[in-house]
Amino acid sequence: MKQRDFKVLVLGSLPEADDLFERGVFKDEYPCEPVRVENPEEFGRAVREPTFDLILIDVEPHGINVLRSVLDERPMRPMIMVADAAQGDVILEAKRLGLERYVMRLSDDVLNADLLAEEMVFILQRLSEPPSMEHPTVEELFRFAQYHNVRQPFFVIDRNHRLLYTNASGKALVKAVHDHDLREGDQYDRFPLTGSTQESTSHLNEALGGSEVEIEHTYERLVKNDRHREVFYQPVHDTTGAVVAVSIACKNIGLRLQAQQKVERQEQALWSFFELVPLPLKVVGPDLRIHRANAALADFLGYDDPDELQRVTLDSLLHPDDLGEAHLALNGLFEETSSYAHFECRYQHLNGETVWVNQIDFPLRGLGDEESEGLVLALSVDITRQKQAEQRAAQSERLRAIGELAAGVAHDFNNVLSIVKTYSQLIHAKLEQEGDHEYVGFTNKIVGAVDRAMALTGQLLTFGQEDEGDKARLDLNTRIHEISALLERNLGEGVDLKLELAADLPAIEIDPSQLDQVLTNLVINARDAMNAGGSLVLRTRQESKGEDLPPHPDLPTGDYALLEVEDEGEGMDEQTQRKIFEPFFTTKGRSRGTGLGLATVYRIVDRNGGYIYVDSELGCGTTFTIYFPASETGPDTGSDDLPSKKA
Ligand code: ADP
Ligand code: MG
């Protein structure tokens, strides 16, 4: 740091000082600029100049009176008095008045100069060092403020509330705020720095009492970026520890406030971004409570208002099977053993459906916002559609593989059965001819068993069937009408078949015999479930799927002809519902059920680009819903003699 020369005021005739300055003794370390004054009037003016760092006084001719006035004006101002040995009594009195350093002249001039040099170095060295801020002396502070680039306004006020020192920025501040040209000796009530005169004086008195006082103050008369100040009153002690003055520093905090406001604005921007972003977001605390949720999350989980989510815990939103993984991931973030968590999990939609998300969580750190410190920001990316499509694809693939195997076996087995049947019939004819009634009965049983076996292999072949058959563009309603008589014949006594068919149904494309299989299987299952009787409704309706997700997130958008088969039967629990499309799953026992009905239905619907859903509750009936994609060849005319088309 570039320092100015030390200004040394020399009063009277001091040949030792002249000698030192001529020789340039301190030139390198403490460059000095001496100013010599001879008479008391000049000295009186000079001494009021705050710019002198050090005063050298010859006892003669002005003696103790001058010293007294200086010390009175500026306690603790660095000063060295030079006296002849005979003037020891003056030195003694000067010390009593507060003089710190002195030189007693001896007979050797060179020695006298060295003694003075030693005293000067003692003071100059002290003035060059940054003041200890714990117990700064006035001089240290002054020196620091003047020469160590203190650009902030700085004042030193004595016990009588008089200004001892200020710097250029201090003067400028008082000029701007009070329109007053500040001079040393001015009373503090002329330039109060922290509010009214009364307030400022009380701050000053508090500091004179030994306490540090820190005030944030706004100077309305200053320009915008300059007016916010932190005013710091600090007691200044003498060597005995007594408070002799107070220093006042006015630090500009405009930039800090500006930065703070910027942070606040950024924070606001961040939170408004949080609100507006279409991705489901929430902020979670270590107690796993939701601190904030955005509208997208509320919407995603079926809540009207994001605030409702603040009243529920995270656990109540998560699927029970996924709690473990979610806790593990979040705890890692809260305990700072990980900085990022990424996992898949399921949430419960308010309507009871399960939704899948890709969860990305990370701690909210360094936002400069205490409120969010220690919290975790959680982003959810909806993957329900992909998950269900994946599950569906896996299911289709599995059914296809099982079907292929079953059809292969069934085909070969059917050939064997044909042979068995042919020869059994031949033997049967021969025995009948011979009139062997006992053995005719046996062959009848064989043929009957072979027929049942062939029916089963036929079902296996249907289930395993790969191709789409003879696809035709047809009207679902017409087809239902056509086979309803046949279906009704299959129903028991107490079961009542009702048709609720919508008029404006789009045409669909499917092999009519495969559609018949779908209808037959569903109707027969419904009948089986209605031992006590009840009504069975076949319902159709046109349905368009938009972008909104539930209740069937995996259903692609588009137009559909919808078929509902609704019964009032025994219904199914959830566990059963999960398994019904599995081949060979039956609850009817091996003799009555094959477990191939719904697996076949599933394969046919799937193969034709449709979707099937089940809605059931134990004891409350069952509804199967099938979405057949509308044929893209234009609206249907309602007749079934449309040109058929091979797939
Ligand atoms: P199966 O009829 O030979 O048992 P399915 O594949 O047709 O085989 O049906 C599988 C199982 O699904 C049935 O055994 C039954 O438990 C259940 N199920 C199917 N439809 C219904 C229904 N409408 N009501 C109640 N349960 C049903
Ligand atoms: Mg069945």
Side-chain angles (χ1 to χ4, degrees), residues 74-273:
R74 298 276 164 81
M76 306 191 63
R77 171 157 244 190
M79 190 155 43
I80 303 170
M81 187 172 240
V82 184
D84 291 338
Q87 293 164 313
D89 53 334
V90 182
I91 293 293
L92 210 63
E93 202 196 331
K95 284 201 74 177
R96 240 178 264 129
L97 288 171
L99 178 75
E100 214 191 327
R101 320 296 305 183
Y102 63 92
V103 173
M104 289 285 258
R105 278 196 188 107
L106 304 173
S107 54
D108 185 334
D109 286 347
V110 179
L111 192 59
N112 289 339
D114 285 349
L115 286 173
L116 180 62
E118 205 168 297
E119 294 301 322
M120 284 176 69
V121 165
F122 177 85
I123 288 169
L124 295 176
Q125 189 183 0
R126 193 177 73 192
L127 291 180
S128 303
E129 281 166 3
S132 126
M133 279 307 171
E134 246 170 72
H135 297 291
T137 65
V138 174
E139 295 307 332
E140 280 172 336
L141 282 173
F142 178 55
R143 172 78 198 165
F144 185 69
Q146 286 285 8
Y147 305 114
H148 293 267
N149 203 21
V150 174
R151 261 177 277 131
Q152 302 288 11
F154 181 80
F155 309 84
V156 180
I157 317 275
D158 72 9
R159 293 207 66 92
N160 300 318
H161 295 198
R162 283 184 315 161
L163 177 71
L164 284 181
Y165 305 114
T166 186
N167 58 4
S169 356
K171 284 184 179 166
L173 177 78
V174 172
K175 179 76 183 164
V177 172
H178 295 289
D179 195 22
H180 172 65
D181 290 308
L182 195 59
R183 256 189 301 262
E184 317 267 325
D186 281 348
Q187 286 290 320
Y188 188 53
D189 56 15
R190 295 203 59 180
F191 60 101
L193 293 166
T194 43
S196 68
T197 309
Q198 204 190 350
E199 286 170 316
S200 302
T201 307
S202 101
H203 294 146
L204 176 65
N205 282 333
E206 220 179 300
L208 284 168
S211 324
E212 293 182 348
V213 182
E214 210 178 315
I215 307 283
E216 275 191 19
H217 189 73
T218 302
Y219 298 102
E220 297 298 344
R221 296 183 66 172
L222 296 185
V223 294
K224 203 157 178 250
N225 277 340
D226 218 20
R227 59 171 60 147
H228 303 293
R229 302 288 179 137
E230 187 176 77
V231 183
F232 189 47
Y233 290 78
Q234 193 180 25
V236 178
H237 304 88
D238 68 7
T239 42
T240 69
V243 178
V244 290
V246 167
S247 71
I248 306 175
C250 304
K251 197 165 140 200
N252 186 352
I253 53 166
L255 291 176
R256 197 188 75 195
L257 288 181
Q258 232 180 356
Q260 210 170 312
Q261 281 163 359
K262 196 172 159 196
V263 166
E264 276 163 22
R265 276 200 304 275
Q266 276 174 345
E267 217 175 279
Q268 272 172 4
L270 180 83
W271 288 124
S272 59
F273 175 77

Side-chain angles (χ1 to χ4, degrees), residues 23-94:
R23 286 196 281 136
V25 175
F26 317 112
K27 190 173 84 250
D28 296 330
E29 226 174 329
Y30 308 111
C32 289
E33 182 197 333
V35 176
R36 296 180 179 81
V37 291
E38 293 294 335
N39 61 62
E41 294 86 71
E42 264 183 78
F43 181 77
R45 259 202 312 280
V47 92
R48 254 172 270 279
E49 288 263 334
T51 46
F52 289 107
D53 298 297
L54 172 63
I55 300 169
L56 306 180
I57 315 178
D58 178 26
V59 170
E60 294 293 352
H62 316 292
I64 201 80
N65 293 338
V66 170
L67 179 83
R68 185 176 286 124
S69 74
V70 173
L71 287 177
D72 194 36
E73 188 93 21
R74 298 276 164 81
M76 306 191 63
R77 171 157 244 190
M79 190 155 43
I80 303 170
M81 187 172 240
V82 184
D84 291 338
Q87 293 164 313
D89 53 334
V90 182
I91 293 293
L92 210 63
E93 202 196 331

Side-chain angles (χ1 to χ4, degrees), residues 3 5 22 33 84 131 141 179 218 289 297 404 438 445 462 528 596:
Q3 285 186 18
D5 288 357
E22 260 160 48
E33 182 197 333
D84 291 338
L141 282 173
D179 195 22
T218 302
R289 291 201 77 85
L297 182 69
E404 197 178 341
E438 191 188 354
K445 283 209 162 69
T462 316
D528 290 350
L596 283 172

